[in-house]
């Protein structure tokens, strides 16, 4: 969480001249979001999110992310709608950074989900997969299994300093993924980071999904596997069968899984746990001096992974 | 800047049940503010600031601060209005912290002020002094000269590690203040921290003053002295006579200074520079491990102080 880049009143006014959104009322840096600097902007026409893209997001990927939000929002999927200036451009430059404005989604994340939240999250994920079905731009998933060995190499020697046995856990799971990863199951655009902090609820209903900056093309069931990690464990990282059954039922109420996806789900869920374990571990071991962000604990995912390794059949996820 | 205390959706809903402010739409932690955790809260009735008071604010002082904002706002001074629950209470508890909600003030701070901003800031300060004139509660200024020796002792041995000659500068100035500080000039409630980040402008007009958590009883001219430090130097900490003349003219357009105040102004301005130098230096030398906040550079005030020591007469501030 942090504001990495400060925006002056003058630079903001200059930036906003390109848009037809009225006058600025206020600008508050938001504490939250590891990748980018986000401001909540009150304008005379409403509230917006102003995002300045920091180093961890590759500029070449921005058209994919912004185009995707635009594509989804115009199809009625509840996500931020990128604002376009008078020339139709959604991407500009502010304070030396690529910057974009989107509509502001009201709603709050739930800290402690219940089965109802999980069901709605599953439904929303399936709706996202369907709505993105005809999105033409593509982006490779850099954090798919082929991207893991470099993360493993960078962190394995020090993994056991974080948790006894973590190095073995990681190398064993990498080996499993390399041998069992599915090859021919439905693929498309996935969110790839639909954790609780990226899903908003308003008066008990899901009000929107945010943060598309990991979105990419991959197996749809891999997104579900990430969702299992995100929604189906409690605050102590213990698996909750009721949450998982609800999440998958919610998903299947919109899009039914094929047999190949069901069969692959245990492997994909383990792989998703490994993927987040690896990025968290690398962040944990490499906190830069003067960091504004406290890294997340990798042990939240080693514990998930150890449980998921015991799941032999997708039925254990509560699939019916 | 930081969110020190996280607020869950459940705890917030529970807290807000005491108020008649409608339903929650969103809650965003604000990056900004060293002392407290601030959230920008969208409710169905409008926008509010939710403040959780952290350790640096003494709980016993909260009724003074909240009562002052209430007193000022109800007199038409543009500042946050504390919201009261159905029992008339403005102070509650949330996530284990004392907490209060205030109205949200639209507007933005200016990063680079001009003389017009300085004039409006001076006017606002004088209006604050007058509006607070009949506020009955009192709070001693812990950061008045009697509070400086303990800060000097704590930082002097390491002051020269921050800047060559800083220790001499500080001890000399402490001595000067102790011998020349005024005794009988008008006193009352002062803001005591009216820096640029605490004053908002909207479409060229001053829209409000925030952050009353240093407010206290002291000489009114000491607040002006703080204002000189805050508004009358440029981004390189060089004195700007035009800014200062405008600030003082703005103040005097609302409340005329007495001769004793004019005479004391050079000493008070130096003292104010020393006060901010001392707190910044102490923060700088004592950054706690895992700090969420980068301390401000004390050298911004040693440079101001060195200039202010050359001012022999308030006329040099542009007083007419």
């Amino acid at each position: 969480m942090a504001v990495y880049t400060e925006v002056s009143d003058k630079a903001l006014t200059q930036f906003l001249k390109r848009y037809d959104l009225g006058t600025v009322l206020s600008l508050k840096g938001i504490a939250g979001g590891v990748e980018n600097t986000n401001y909540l902007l009150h304008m005379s026409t409403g509230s917006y999110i102003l995002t300045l893209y920091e180093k961890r997001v590759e500029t070449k990927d921005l058209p994919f992310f912004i185009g995707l939000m635009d594509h989804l929002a115009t199809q009625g999927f509840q996500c931020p709608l990128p604002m376009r200036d008078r020339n139709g451009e959604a991407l500009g430059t502010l304070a030396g950074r690529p910057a974009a404005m989107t509509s502001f989604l009201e709603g709050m994340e739930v800290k402690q989900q219940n089965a109802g939240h999980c069901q709605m999250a599953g439904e929303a994920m399936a709706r996202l997969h369907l709505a993105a079905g005809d999105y033409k731009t593509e982006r490779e998933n850099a954090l798919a299994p082929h991207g893991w060995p470099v993360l493993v190499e960078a962190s394995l020697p020090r993994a056991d300093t974080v948790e006894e046995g973590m190095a073995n856990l990681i190398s064993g799971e990498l080996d499993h993924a390399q041998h069992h990863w599915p090859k021919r199951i439905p693929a498309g655009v996935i969110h790839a980071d639909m954790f609780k902090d990226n899903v908003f609820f308003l008066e008990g209903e899901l009000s929107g999904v945010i943060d598309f900056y990991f979105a990419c093309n991959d197996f749809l069931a891999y997104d579900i596997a990430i969702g299992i990690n995100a929604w189906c464990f409690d605050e102590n990282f213990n698996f909750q069968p009721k949450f998982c059954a609800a999440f998958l039922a919610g998903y299947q109420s919109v899009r039914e899984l094929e047999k190949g996806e069901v069969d692959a789900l245990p492997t994909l869920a383990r792989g998703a746990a490994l993927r987040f374990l690896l990025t968290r571990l690398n962040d944990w071991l490499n906190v830069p001096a003067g960091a504004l962000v406290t890294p997340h604990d990798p042990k939240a995912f080693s514990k998930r992974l150890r449980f998921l390794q015991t799941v032999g059949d997708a039925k254990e996820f509560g699939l019916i």
Side-chain angles (χ1 to χ4, degrees), chain A:
Chain A
M1 50 113 304
V3 166
Y4 301 93
T5 305
E6 295 279 349
V7 171
S8 75
D9 49 321
K10 274 191 184 169
L12 179 68
T13 305
Q14 192 62 33
F15 178 80
L16 291 172
K17 274 187 183 157
R18 294 163 37 218
Y19 295 84
D20 283 317
L21 295 171
T23 57
V24 185
L25 298 181
S26 73
L27 180 76
K28 302 287 179 198
I30 298 178
V34 173
E35 303 290 321
N36 300 313
T37 297
N38 288 305
Y39 287 93
L40 171 45
L41 180 61
H42 286 183
M43 303 278 294
S44 52
T45 53
S47 296
Y48 302 89
I49 292 286
L50 172 65
T51 302
L52 278 68
Y53 298 98
E54 304 291 343
K55 286 172 202 161
R56 283 178 74 143
V57 174
E58 291 204 48
T59 309
K60 72 171 171 52
D61 289 334
L62 290 174
F64 173 87
F65 301 137
I66 287 171
L68 176 60
M69 285 189 274
D70 197 294
H71 181 90
L72 292 171
T74 52
Q75 293 197 39
F77 185 79
Q78 293 147 305
C79 72
L81 173 68
M83 297 290 118
R84 295 186 177 278
D85 67 13
R86 287 188 205 88
N87 297 322
E89 291 292 329
L91 199 57
T93 303
L94 179 56
R97 299 270 179 221
M101 280 175 67
T102 64
S103 60
F104 179 77
L105 279 191
E106 302 286 1
M108 280 183 73
E109 61 174 290
V110 288
K111 299 277 182 196
Q112 294 199 349
Q113 75 275 36
N114 60 33
H117 297 121
C118 297
Q119 167 143 3
M120 288 184 266
E123 282 171 23
M125 181 179 279
R127 282 192 283 109
L128 189 160
H129 290 170
L130 295 185
D134 55 349
Y135 183 55
K136 300 295 181 218
T137 319
E138 295 200 357
R139 177 177 177 263
E140 192 193 12
N141 186 3
L143 292 167
H146 67 81
W148 299 343
V150 62
L151 294 171
V152 171
E153 273 171 48
S155 56
L156 211 66
R158 286 187 288 162
D160 280 3
T161 65
V162 177
E163 185 185 65
E164 181 86 24
M166 195 183 269
N168 270 337
L169 178 74
I170 288 172
S171 51
E173 188 58 33
L174 181 65
D175 186 68
H176 180 272
Q178 285 170 337
H179 287 89
H180 296 88
W181 206 251
K183 290 196 175 65
R184 277 178 215 86
I185 56 172
V189 173
I190 68 170
H191 184 284
D193 195 34
M194 227 177 91
F195 278 78
K196 285 188 289 176
D197 54 340
N198 289 331
V199 179
F200 292 166
F201 292 87
L202 201 55
E203 299 186 50
E205 299 294 324
L206 191 147
S207 63
V209 177
I210 63 162
D211 199 347
F212 287 78
Y213 302 107
F214 286 98
C216 55
N217 289 75
D218 206 329
F219 298 137
L220 302 182
Y222 183 53
D223 219 9
I224 301 171
I226 292 169
I228 289 172
N229 278 273
W231 291 89
C232 308
F233 290 78
D234 65 17
E235 66 274 25
N236 300 314
F237 322 123
N238 291 316
F239 183 71
Q240 294 295 327
K242 279 186 191 168
F243 292 177
C244 200
F247 181 80
L248 293 171
Y251 188 92
Q252 295 218 91
S253 72
V254 177
R255 176 183 169 266
E256 206 162 336
L257 291 176
E258 296 182 4
K259 183 175 180 303
E261 294 179 289
V262 172
D263 292 344
L265 210 48
T267 292
L268 293 169
R270 296 166 56 163
L274 179 62
R275 171 254 179 270
F276 287 97
L277 171 55
L278 286 173
T279 49
R280 284 198 174 192
L281 180 61
N282 271 273
D283 287 347
W284 189 265
L285 293 172
N286 298 296
V287 180
L292 298 172
V293 174
T294 311
H296 295 295
D297 191 346
K299 295 195 287 293
F301 283 93
S302 54
K303 185 164 176 183
R304 282 176 171 92
L305 176 53
R306 287 195 173 90
F307 166 78
L308 291 167
Q309 287 179 336
T310 70
V311 176
D313 188 302
K315 285 201 187 90
E316 295 170 53
F317 290 137
L319 262 184
I320 40 168

